[in-house]
Amino acid sequence: MITLGHYVTLSALLFIIGVAGVLTRRNAIVILMSIELMLNASNLAFVAFSRFHGLLEGQVISFFVIALAAAEATVGLAIVVAIFRKQGTIDLGHFKFLRG
């Protein structure tokens, strides 16, 4: 039988993979996908805890996170396309304005 611990462990592993993708990759598309993976890991945890406790709040929060992820993907991809048209690359290591 699958318990709450299984869901939390899977959620933690997915979140760690997402963090590793954000920290190690330089491609903007891969970074956006890693952020999406982190958001989906948090959704899994919210839904698992919601189901375990018999409440609907976690599932409602999950819907808001999905809406946030859709908006993030739309805006993020628009920014990536605009940068690609101007710079010719989406490798974040080539941009001087991001280095601070």
Side-chain angles (χ1 to χ4, degrees), residues 1-2 4 8 16 25-26 38-39 43-45 47 49-50 55 61 67-68 77-78 87 90 92:
M1 179 166 178
I2 298 176
L4 180 63
V8 173
I16 289 170
R25 301 295 180 175
R26 300 184 103 173
M38 292 165 48
L39 288 172
N43 278 343
L44 179 62
V47 171
F49 281 114
S50 174
L55 303 172
I61 291 172
L68 174 77
L77 286 175
Q87 300 288 334
I90 55 174
L92 297 180

Side-chain angles (χ1 to χ4, degrees), residues 10-28:
L10 179 61
S11 175
L13 287 174
L14 289 173
F15 194 85
I16 289 170
I17 292 170
V19 168
V22 168
L23 294 178
T24 60
R25 301 295 180 175
R26 300 184 103 173
N27 189 338

Side-chain angles (χ1 to χ4, degrees), residues 1 16 19 28 31 40 46 48 56 60 67 71 83:
M1 179 166 178
I16 289 170
V19 168
I31 290 174
N40 286 329
F46 279 133
L56 290 177
V60 171
I83 289 174

Side-chain angles (χ1 to χ4, degrees), residues 49-89:
F49 281 114
S50 174
R51 182 173 158 116
F52 180 74
H53 292 295
L55 303 172
L56 290 177
E57 285 87 356
Q59 295 176 10
V60 171
I61 291 172
S62 181
F63 283 127
F64 285 118
V65 171
I66 290 170
L68 174 77
E72 177 259 335
T74 304
V75 172
L77 286 175
I79 291 170
V80 166
V81 168
I83 289 174
F84 180 76
R85 286 184 179 172
K86 184 175 181 181
Q87 300 288 334
T89 183

